[in-house]
Each structure stands twice: as C-alpha cells, then as structure tokens.
Amino acid sequence: MTDCFVRVALDHPLSTLFDYRCPSDGPAPVPGTLVNVPFGRREAVGLVCEVTAHSDVPPDRLRNVTSVCCSCPPLSADWLALAAFAADYYQRGLGEVALPALPQALRDASRWDRLFAREPRYRALPAGREALPDSLPVRASALRRLAAALLAEDALFASDARALHPKAVAVLDAWCETGWVEREVVDPFAAGHSAAAPVAVTNPTALPVLTDEQTAALDAISGAHGFAPFLLHGVTGSGKTEVYLRALAHLLERRPDAQALVLVPEINLTPQFEAAFRARFASLAEGAIVTLHSGLAEGERARNWLAAHTGHARIVLGTRLAVLASLPKLAVIVVDEEHDPAYKQQEGLRYSARDLAVWRAKQLDVPVVLGSATPSLESWWLAEQGRYTRLTLSRRAVADAVLPVVKLIDLEDEHRRGRASFEGLSGPLVAAMKTRLERGEQSLVFLNRRGYAPILSCDACGWVAGCPRCSAYVVLHKPERALRCHHCGWESRIPRACPDCGNVDIAPMGRGTQRIEEALAQAVPGARVLRIDADSTRRKGSAEALFSDVHAGEVDILVGTQMIAKGHDFQRVSLVGVLNADTALFSHDFRASERLFAQLMQVSGRAGRAGLPGEVLVQTRYARHALYHALTRHDYVGFATSTLAERRDAHLPPFVYQALLRAEGRTLDAALAFLQQAAAALHDIPAAERVTAYDAVPMTIVKVMHVHRAQLLIESGSRAALQATLRAWLPALRQLKGVLRWSVEVDPLDI
Ligand code: ADP
Ligand code: ZN
Ligand code: ZN
C-alpha cells in the first residue's frame, strides 16, 4: 500500500484546500471525514474534501495528517455541496463556511474521545424497585436522591448520575452486583441501532379539527412531490403551527427514517413552540426531537448535532444556524416567520438561513414551507410570479377568535383639541388600559426602544451625552444609573451637571421602555407592570420566567420591545398599545417600512387570541399614512402590492440584486479611499458592465469603537452578473491596502 493524499478545508480566509499525506498504515479517510492536521505552528481540525493518489505539493513540504476522526460518520456529499454553494454564493472560503457550521466540540480533536465515548446507563430492575429507597439508611440523603433519580427515569446516564454525586457511578455499579440495577452501554453510532420507527401521533382524538383552509394547505404540502416551495401566508393565530405539525406527522408516519428541519427565528423566545412539538410527537423515541441554537451548552449542542448527523434525530428544531446542520435523511423543511430579519446572520458568514433552506430543499428535491403573517417582499414576489405556491389562512383558527380591531390615535388631533397626555401616553390609551385592568384582562405596550431615554442633554448650552468611542448618543438607563452606548457597550455614571457649562438641569429627552414602565405605574394606578426587553432579560432563562408570569396572569400591563411581539400565544391580552412607531416611517433604509409593518402586524396579533375581543391602539402623528391605513384593515396584500410597485419603480430589491462592500479604517478618509479604489477595480471586470456601483458613503453610525466605517453598494438586475463580478472582484480587493478590515455582504438587509 502506498500513501494517499487528502485535500482539507480549514477555517481560514484563503479559499484554497490544503494538502496532507495519509500514511498507508493509518485509516484511509473518505471525503467528509474530519481530520486533525498541523497548520502553521498549531494543530487544527479540518474537513477532508478530496482524496487523491498524488499531490502537487513537493514531498518535503507535505505534512502528515495527525489523526482521523473515525468515530464520526463522514459528512455526506450533499452536505459538502451545501457548504460549497454557501461559500461560493456568499464569497467565502469553503473552510470558513464548513468548519464554523460544526459544533465546537467536534472542532477540537482533544475532545473527540469523550464526545464519542460510549456512555453507560443504568436501569432499575424489579428487585431494585422493591428495595429502593427503603433499604437505604434514612440519613443517606445523597444515596436517596440517587435512588429517586433512578426510579424516576427509565434509564439514568452515568454522567447525569455523576452530576448528582461524585461517587454515584461506584454506587450504581455496587447495586448492579446486588441485583438491583442493570448496566448497559449503548453505542449510538453502531450499525443496526436505529431510533427509526413508524410514528403514531399521540392521542388522535385530542387533535383540533382543521379549518377548511388548514386542510387545503396540509393537502397541498402532503401531496407534494420533489422540490416544492410553499409560502404559507396565514394571519396571526390562523394555526400555521398546526399545519406544520400535521405535515410533519404525515411525513414521519409514511417514512420511518425521514428527518424534518423546522427553523424558528429565536428559539429562546418560543418555548411554546418546542413544547407543542414535544407534546405532539411524544411517541417518538427518546432524543428524536432535538434543538439546535446558540443558547445550548457546548456538550448538548454537539450531542444534538450528532443526533441529527447520524439520523437519530427525526425533527430538528433550530434557529438560523440549524440550516447548516447535517441531516442525511432530510425530507421537509419549515421556516416559521420567514420574514424575520433574525434569519440573516450579521457577522462572519453573512448568510440568509431562509434562502439557504430553499436552496437545500431544491438540492434534495423536497418540499419547503415558508410561513408568515407578513411574508418578506422577496418571498411574496416569488409567489406572485408563481415560483412559490401560495397557501392562505385568512382567518383565526380558534372558534370565535377574530382579528383585533386596529385604531389609530391621532396625536396631532389630540394636541389640537388640547387633550392631556401623560409622559407620551395619550388619554384614550390610558383609559383603555384602565378598562382592561377593571375587567382583569391584560394590556401590552410595545415600543422599540430600550433604556430610559435615548438622549440626555443640557438646555442651557446644547450639550448632548455622546459616546467617546462612537459617533452616537448614549442612552440613559435609570434603574442601572448609567449612560450606556448601544453600539459598543461603553458605560458611565449619570453626570450630576452638564460637563460643558455646569448647569445642573440636564434632562432626558425621548422615551424608552424604562421610562414608559415608570409612567404606566403612575398612569394606571394599581396595575402590575412588567417590562421585557434585552436589559430585563440579560440573565439566561430570565425571559422565560418573565413570560411565564404573564401567562400565569401575574401581570396587568406588559411593556417591551419587539421581544414581546414575537410568537407568544397570550391568552388574556385584549389590548395592544403601540408607541413611537413613526420614526421608522421616514428612515433612509428602504426596508424600514416593511419591517415596521411586519412588527406592527405581529404585535397586533398578540391581542384577542383566545376569544376575548382584541383592540390595538396605535399612537401616531401621521394618521393618514398609507402604512397605518393598511394596518387598520389587516391588509398585508394591499401593503405588499403597493410597496412592491414602489420598489419596482425605484429599482430596489427584489427587482435588483445587491451586494455591499464595507470598509473599516482608522479614519473615515482611509475607509472611503479604499472603497474608491475598489470601485475603480470594477472597471477591469467584464461582468461589471451589467452592475451599477454607487458612491462610497459613510455608514449611518460612522464611528464605532474608534473605528470609522464606510460602505459601497453595487447592484444588478442579473444575479449571475453580480455573482460573476464578485468572483472577479474579491481577488482584486485582497490586493488593496489601507484599511483595518473589509467585508462583502451579498443580499444585505440593512443598508
Ligand atoms: P399562528 O402560528 O398562525 O399565529 P398558532 O399556530 O399559534 O397560529 O395557532 C393559534 C391558536 O389556534 C393556537 O392556540 C392553536 O392551538 C389553535 N388552533 C390551531 N388550529 C386550530 C383548529 N383547527 N381548531 C381550533 N384551534 C386551533
Ligand atoms: Zn450645558
Ligand atoms: Zn460606543
């Protein structure tokens, strides 16, 4: 036998593969295998992409593979193709895409042994069930806890036992000798061991009777063959989740090995969603439903990832990163709230999980369901052209739950009539909240600005508290008694007097959630007010605890940012108040109104879900604005149609394709000069003839952490021309100097 060579992808910006020798006496890897290799002066885990009989690298410079991860089944050719596509489309190296997509524990060869170690588990035998815990000494509380854990579970894993007590495993082994317990070692990756089994959905009589619209949607999805993209357009509360559950049940019942991928925008915010899946598919084998998101501990994330990769997990419920999970039997993909900007990764590989999900479905020739009450205009336009099949749920699913009545409170008019308002809360809104309080119903107040006040300023000299590191004002946080920069995290104490003129009368301007929380407590006496935003939920798990207070009825008024708008099925909320929405109407970002409309529809959808008539009150200075008009009529279609027409006239996405080059320099001039050279380099690229380059401009917040930022937008009516241009442009950009960092983003969301 002779040596063979492997070409390995490593997490490195160079898009090349690196050659290594595999000695003939070791295991011969196949493509998709993980290997540990020397890289520079350290070792790194890489992914074998090709196995060849020879290498062009001179033999004296070729190094050996250090070790091969034999326990982990190789990643499939489909998965490698997915990584290669994402790398090519988003202009990154293959290794930069493939390796970060793996759980951290797999990327550290020193942890492979532990990760794949076969873990013993213990099961109580009938003799043990008799004897335990009564034959234990009364005071042996640790032993009694162990016994209780053993009896409570079908099987207790050694690591879980060890977490109860450091000597637990020795005790369990002794109990094995006594005949109380049996010990078994399962190898989850052994051939023949498979969790796959036909599923019968639990307790079919308890399922709700589908509405006609749900039935039609389900029939279309279940009847699909091959690649079939669906846009499930369903108003809030129309029972989209029920359609997903039934479609999955249908598939899993027919195909005992099939896997489903369900993406949600933020899994930490949707425990209800996970609970619904676990309850519905309770008959699946243990571990057949796994979650994948960044909130998981590393070990758990690795185990869940491996469960998906080995086919043991039948349903993977995850956030955007799960779109890159290895799922060898993937047979259907669901993207819930497909319009949500959270599907866009905003650092590193800036991918759209929704777009990759559709690509993956196409590659595997399987159906994909994109669900939303307010689809992205990109998806809506594809449905308009007939490229996606539209499925509509136009009514709420629960009998006698109707969409809430949306009314505008015209602040100009309130002002003209001399009606009183209190700290930004208009009279009609306060009155409506008081009525809810009397009826024992809940109100929800939405405003998308956290902190107490966005600006602290001095009336006497015009001083405004700004961040010393960023070109941004700092936000006043009253409970924390701090000024905080929302861009870089800089913090300082609240000054007693104006640092410029000494005036002690410095005042907060504008209102954030903290200030409204304070105002609500005064405006609605007796109400229990709870604030939910990124500040009040900083500790892990605290959001869930706060939301359960709301569900338990321990809160009368909930105030918060978009965190409270998403997904929650509040049973007792009958009023939603919207404050300060107007700012987004006149943003320089052409997507701002689309986002605002989606947010307002979504937050409105929290009202009146369980048969209580819901009311939404939107405070605005622009009561005639078309967006609000569409909102009051729940008219997504009207809004989408007119906005798409505007986009078409203005040559904006989805009618053109865009990419953004960002540069960060020590000075703004350096960043702009880099972008100007980059623009000049486009002249040498033939494909760029079909591409428009705009002027390089400073970013809105031009300075963050002392770094100056500017950007250059390019666009084309042809995706292929844009892609060809980028492919030729990047090597040219790598030759340019003078900035700290630069990056290219394809299909940017925030411009
Ligand atoms: P969406 O995701 O479309 O906002 P959900 O899936 O959260 O809506 O459903 C809203 C509520 O309607 C949930 O409480 C759900 O249990 C209920 N529901 C769904 N389908 C039906 C049905 N066919 N009959 C009765 N209730 C239903
Ligand atoms: Zn001053
Ligand atoms: Zn800052």
Side-chain angles (χ1 to χ4, degrees), residues 16 99 342 416 586 623 691:
T16 55
L99 289 149
R416 254 195 317 273
F586 307 102
V691 168

Side-chain angles (χ1 to χ4, degrees), residues 584-595 749-751:
L585 293 176
F586 307 102
S587 167
H588 64 281
D589 182 345
F590 70 88
R591 280 197 180 83
S593 62
E594 180 185 351
R595 270 198 296 270
L749 272 193
D750 301 308
I751 296 175

Side-chain angles (χ1 to χ4, degrees), residues 208-211 214 235-242 397-398 569 609:
V209 178
L210 294 186
T211 64
Q214 283 175 317
V235 299
T236 50
S238 59
K240 294 185 287 292
T241 313
E242 190 61 38
V398 175
D569 198 2
R609 289 174 77 88

Side-chain angles (χ1 to χ4, degrees), residues 467 469-470 485 487-488 490:
C467 175
R469 307 193 290 209
C470 308
C485 173
H487 298 278
C488 74
W490 179 83

